[in-house]
Amino acid sequence: MNKLHLVFGGRVDDPMTLDFDDLESIDIVGIFPDYKSAEKAWRAAAQRTVDDAEMKYVVVHLHRLVQPDLIAPAKG
């Protein structure tokens, strides 16, 4: 089974949050079949905007949204 990952980014007011300013201008980098390739794309996108503190890129584990039963229960 592929573990799909989505990489996207956009402008945020506070880089400590995921509150994107304009959802219509989100930069969808792509969907990737594994974390390694998603991370590579994320690094490239983040590097392109490294001088813009209001730009933030993230990796979303789509497989966790589609099949939440695959997530191991938290220990504790």
Side-chain angles (χ1 to χ4, degrees), residues 19-40:
D19 294 328
F20 292 96
D21 289 344
D22 182 10
L23 297 180
E24 292 184 18
S25 67
I26 292 287
D27 177 20
I28 307 282
V29 177
I31 297 176
F32 301 88
D34 54 58
Y35 184 79
K36 185 177 181 178
S37 58
E39 182 183 28
K40 183 177 179 180

Side-chain angles (χ1 to χ4, degrees), residues 11-23:
R11 191 162 301 283
V12 294
D13 282 332
D14 179 357
M16 298 298 289
T17 71
L18 291 175
D19 294 328
F20 292 96
D21 289 344
D22 182 10
L23 297 180

Side-chain angles (χ1 to χ4, degrees), residues 6-74:
L6 168 66
V7 178
F8 71 93
R11 191 162 301 283
V12 294
D13 282 332
D14 179 357
M16 298 298 289
T17 71
L18 291 175
D19 294 328
F20 292 96
D21 289 344
D22 182 10
L23 297 180
E24 292 184 18
S25 67
I26 292 287
D27 177 20
I28 307 282
V29 177
I31 297 176
F32 301 88
D34 54 58
Y35 184 79
K36 185 177 181 178
S37 58
E39 182 183 28
K40 183 177 179 180
W42 167 79
R43 286 187 187 280
Q47 185 63 41
R48 282 193 308 271
T49 61
V50 71
D51 293 330
D52 187 348
E54 294 179 342
M55 287 296 289
K56 182 172 190 169
Y57 282 86
V58 295
V59 177
V60 176
H61 301 264
L62 290 179
H63 60 279
R64 292 183 181 169
L65 298 174
V66 175
Q67 293 183 304
D69 55 319
L70 293 179
I71 300 173

